């Protein structure tokens, strides 16, 4: 697996960064599916090298990292400083279109854990054009729901939700996932 870090310093000195993982043998002439992974609260950081290394060594599940080579896809994992917003996700999607034009536009997926699960649902529910970018979404242990499910339905994005029914973490209540 080829792992790269992308760090963008903005004009107001804030940083935005993400990790890119490509399969071994990656070829710019091959079309690849892509998974956009949004970290949980434990991955919150400033997009600097230390924060991105923490994503690689703790927030991006090891099985997901191993799957990059096994199933030959590109993994993009951004870093946020607080809560996810559709602007951060939009930046990453637009960056990937320009810099990784071999991502198959019909096979882009988004997933996230906890804070990232809520961010997945929120971003797609809040921005119809962003929802239309993805072939599917898998929010896991969502921290909150917001936005509108209508945008997701109008974009025809299949979603598969996961949450431990016995989750006792008050920050990620099962009610956020089951809609109660």
């Amino acid at each position: 697996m080829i792992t790269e870090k992308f760090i963008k310093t903005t004009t107001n000195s804030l940083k935005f960064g993400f990790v890119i993982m490509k399969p071994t043998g990656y070829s710019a002439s091959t079309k690849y599916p892509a998974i956009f992974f949004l970290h949980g609260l434990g991955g919150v950081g400033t997009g600097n090298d230390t924060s991105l290394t923490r994503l690689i060594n703790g927030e991006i599940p090891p099985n997901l990292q191993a799957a990059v080579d096994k199933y030959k896809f590109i993994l993009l994992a951004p870093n946020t400083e607080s809560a996810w917003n559709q602007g951060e996700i939009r930046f990453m999607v637009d960056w990937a279109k320009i810099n990784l034009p071999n991502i198959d536009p019909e096979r882009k997926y988004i997933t996230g854990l906890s804070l990232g699960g809520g961010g997945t649902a929120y971003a797609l529910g809040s921005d119809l054009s962003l929802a239309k970018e993805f072939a599917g979404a898998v929010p896991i242990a969502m921290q909150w729901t917001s936005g509108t499910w209508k945008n997701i339905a109008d974009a025809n994005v299949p979603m598969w939700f996961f949450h431990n029914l016995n989750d006792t973490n008050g920050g990620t209540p099962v009610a956020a996932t089951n809609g109660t």
Side-chain angles (χ1 to χ4, degrees):
M1 173 175 48
I2 304 161
T3 302
E4 303 169 5
K5 298 174 189 170
F6 173 82
I7 300 171
K8 175 185 178 7
T9 302
T10 62
T11 55
N12 60 3
S13 298
L14 295 175
K15 291 186 177 178
F16 180 78
F18 52 91
V19 173
I20 307 160
M21 296 181 177
K22 301 173 188 173
T24 303
Y26 172 84
S27 169
S29 62
T30 300
K31 287 286 187 192
Y32 293 94
I35 295 177
F36 294 77
F37 173 80
L38 307 183
H39 63 74
L41 190 59
V44 168
T46 61
N48 63 20
D49 187 67
T50 301
S51 295
L52 298 181
T53 298
R54 192 170 62 245
L55 289 183
I56 295 166
N57 295 328
E59 278 293 309
I60 304 169
N63 289 343
L64 182 57
Q65 293 185 45
V68 169
D69 272 341
K70 183 175 182 179
Y71 297 107
K72 305 293 184 208
F73 64 89
I74 298 169
L75 177 71
L76 296 107
N79 193 219
T80 188
E81 287 190 88
S82 57
W84 291 104
N85 67 65
Q86 64 267 31
E88 292 169 327
I89 299 163
R90 168 60 66 196
F91 173 83
M92 185 182 59
V93 168
D94 291 346
W95 182 94
K97 283 181 187 177
I98 294 166
N99 295 282
L100 298 168
N102 59 332
I103 289 177
D104 184 341
E106 302 297 317
R107 296 188 298 162
K108 290 188 296 193
Y109 305 92
I110 186 167
T111 187
L113 301 171
S114 189
L115 181 71
T120 297
Y122 172 74
L124 275 56
S126 298
D127 185 337
L128 177 61
S129 68
L130 184 58
K132 288 180 177 181
E133 293 284 347
F134 294 100
V138 182
I140 303 167
M142 291 178 15
Q143 189 173 35
W144 81 95
T145 55
S146 187
T148 172
W149 298 112
K150 183 179 182 330
N151 285 338
I152 296 167
D154 288 350
N156 200 29
V157 179
M159 294 183 83
W160 195 5
F161 297 85
F162 289 88
H163 203 122
N164 179 347
L165 291 176
N166 297 315
D167 193 341
T168 58
N169 179 346
T172 57
V174 71
T177 298
N178 68 23
T180 59

